[in-house]
Amino acid sequence: MGDRPGTGMRGPLQGQGLLGQQGMMGPPGTALRPPTGLRGLPGTAAMRMGTASQRPGSRGGLGPLNTNIQVAERPVTQQGMMGMKVGAQGPGRQIADKSYYMGELRKKCDEMTTEITKMNTEAEQFNKDTQIYSQMERKYETLIKEVRKLQGDLADYNLIVDKSRTNTEPQDIANAYQHLKQRNDEERRKVDDIFTQRQEKEAEIQKLEQQTLAKLSQAEEKLKTLSVDDRRRYAELQDELSRFQADVALAQQQYDLECRRLAKCEQDLKLEPRKQRYHVLEEQRQQLEERRRALEAETNKPVLSEEKQREQLLAQVKDDNKQLQIT
């Protein structure tokens, strides 16, 4: 104890001895930590990489010189870009338990909720667009009416300007106005009469429909008073009437079809050259037949004297001359 140095003298002496003998190594069992004053020295980084440089094939300062080093394969540290991503290791989930399916179900529910919210938003936007469209359509109709009124006023003003350019008297314009007004009033009265007649016809039709319904009700009441056999017979007659009506309707359709076909054939025959030639020849035949009958009648006449024949010939020549003058 007497030979033990003091605390104040031990630090510097031991620090110098240790630095000289062991190269900054502390007492046995302590960590390799240089003093605070020596941390920024260049040798400190080399001392920290001593362990890495001892691994074979490492990139430290003590590695082999012929090592193929490529900078592009070096992973970037966290201070720069992210390093290489490594895929998930292992086979993954082996058993799909209740929690797995609950998670999938919640995921699908969230997706459905998102889609429903999106659809609701689109529906609200569509309703808003529909309301805006309706408002714009009403505004469009109002503007169209206003434009038409302004166009009518413009046409009147243009007419007035044209009349003023042609030195038309105001009285002539007033007369034309009165004429147009009278014609418009007459047309308005005709329209009112037609409207009144339509209302009367509609009232008559409604009255006839009511009478028909009343007749049907009376017929039903009478049917209720009939016996069972009479009702069955009535039902059979009704079915037979329905069949007859259907047959009549079908026959009417066929008749209309045949009429249309006949009209088409007649039109085609009229356009046919041979048909036209036939009509011409038929007219010539009729004329020749009439001429033949006339000659036969003349041949069968009794023989007249020369004077009577001369008079008859003169009368015939006069008649022919009159016909030629008429034509």
Side-chain angles (χ1 to χ4, degrees):
M1 294 295 290
D3 297 332
R4 181 179 179 181
T7 305
M9 297 175 64
R10 185 175 58 186
L13 294 175
Q14 289 180 353
Q16 293 176 1
L18 291 172
L19 288 172
Q21 296 177 2
Q22 300 179 1
M24 295 182 65
M25 293 185 62
T30 60
L32 265 173
R33 183 176 181 182
T36 305
L38 298 176
R39 289 181 186 178
L41 298 178
T44 308
M47 292 172 63
R48 290 185 178 179
M49 294 178 63
T51 307
S53 63
Q54 295 176 5
R55 289 182 289 182
S58 63
R59 299 178 183 178
L62 300 178
L65 297 177
N66 59 354
T67 304
N68 187 11
I69 300 174
Q70 296 182 3
V71 180
E73 295 179 355
R74 180 180 180 275
V76 183
T77 59
Q78 293 182 357
Q79 283 75 12
M81 297 173 62
M82 295 180 62
M84 293 185 296
K85 295 183 179 180
V86 182
Q89 302 295 329
R93 181 185 290 272
Q94 296 293 331
I95 299 175
D97 55 356
K98 179 180 178 181
S99 60
Y100 171 76
Y101 289 109
M102 289 297 293
E104 293 293 327
L105 185 60
R106 290 192 185 95
K107 187 188 298 182
K108 296 297 181 182
C109 290
D110 293 338
E111 293 177 359
M112 291 176 65
T113 304
T114 304
E115 189 66 24
I116 290 170
T117 304
K118 181 180 178 181
M119 293 177 67
N120 290 332
T121 304
E122 292 178 356
E124 292 177 358
Q125 185 65 33
F126 177 77
N127 293 330
K128 292 180 180 178
D129 294 341
T130 304
Q131 293 177 359
I132 293 173
Y133 176 77
S134 300
Q135 295 175 0
M136 297 301 292
E137 189 175 8
R138 289 193 294 270
K139 186 176 180 181
Y140 170 77
E141 292 176 356
T142 304
L143 293 175
I144 282 293
K145 292 179 180 178
E146 186 177 356
V147 167
R148 289 176 180 173
K149 182 178 179 301
L150 293 175
Q151 286 177 351
D153 296 340
L154 179 61
D156 296 337
Y157 292 146
N158 290 333
L159 180 62
I160 293 171
V161 171
D162 293 338
K163 294 295 183 181
S164 63
R165 287 177 180 176
T166 56
N167 297 324
T168 304
E169 296 295 332
Q171 186 63 34
D172 296 337
I173 298 174
N175 294 333
Y177 167 74
Q178 292 296 331
H179 178 69
L180 291 175
K181 184 179 179 183
Q182 290 177 1
R183 190 174 65 181
N184 291 335
D185 293 339
E186 185 178 357
E187 294 292 335
R188 188 179 296 107
R189 283 194 299 269
K190 290 181 180 179
V191 171
D192 294 338
D193 293 339
I194 293 172
F195 182 73
T196 305
Q197 292 177 3
R198 178 183 175 182
Q199 288 184 340
E200 292 177 356
K201 295 296 182 182
E202 289 179 352
E204 291 179 0
I205 292 171
Q206 188 176 4
K207 184 178 179 180
L208 291 174
E209 289 178 352
Q210 292 176 357
Q211 292 178 359
T212 303
L213 293 175
K215 293 295 182 181
L216 290 175
S217 300
Q218 292 177 4
E220 290 178 358
E221 292 295 333
K222 290 181 178 180
L223 287 175
K224 291 179 180 179
T225 60
L226 297 176
S227 61
V228 178
D229 296 335
D230 294 337
R231 291 181 183 177
R232 185 171 61 253
R233 178 62 179 167
Y234 177 78
E236 293 175 357
L237 292 174
Q238 286 288 338
D239 294 338
E240 188 175 0
L241 177 63
S242 299
R243 290 195 299 271
F244 287 156
Q245 289 177 350
D247 295 339
V248 169
L250 181 61
Q252 185 67 33
Q253 291 178 359
Q254 293 178 354
Y255 173 75
D256 295 337
L257 180 61
E258 294 297 332
C259 289
R260 288 194 293 270
R261 292 177 59 185
L262 179 61
K264 186 176 182 301
C265 292
E266 290 178 351
Q267 186 68 22
D268 294 339
L269 286 175
K270 288 180 180 179
L271 299 176
E272 183 69 24
R274 289 175 293 181
K275 180 69 174 178
Q276 296 178 358
R277 179 64 177 168
Y278 168 76
H279 286 299
V280 173
L281 293 175
E282 183 66 23
E283 291 177 358
Q284 291 179 0
R285 186 186 67 82
Q286 291 177 0
Q287 292 176 0
L288 293 174
E289 285 288 336
E290 292 177 357
R291 184 65 181 273
R292 183 180 64 83
R293 286 194 296 268
L295 292 174
E296 288 178 353
E298 290 179 359
T299 304
N300 294 328
K301 286 181 180 182
V303 180
L304 300 175
S305 61
E306 294 181 357
E307 294 180 357
K308 290 183 178 181
Q309 290 180 359
R310 189 181 297 108
E311 292 176 356
Q312 187 177 1
L313 183 60
L314 290 172
Q316 187 176 359
V317 170
K318 291 179 180 180
D319 292 337
D320 293 339
N321 291 331
K322 289 180 180 179
Q323 290 178 0
L324 290 173
Q325 290 177 359
I326 293 171
T327 56

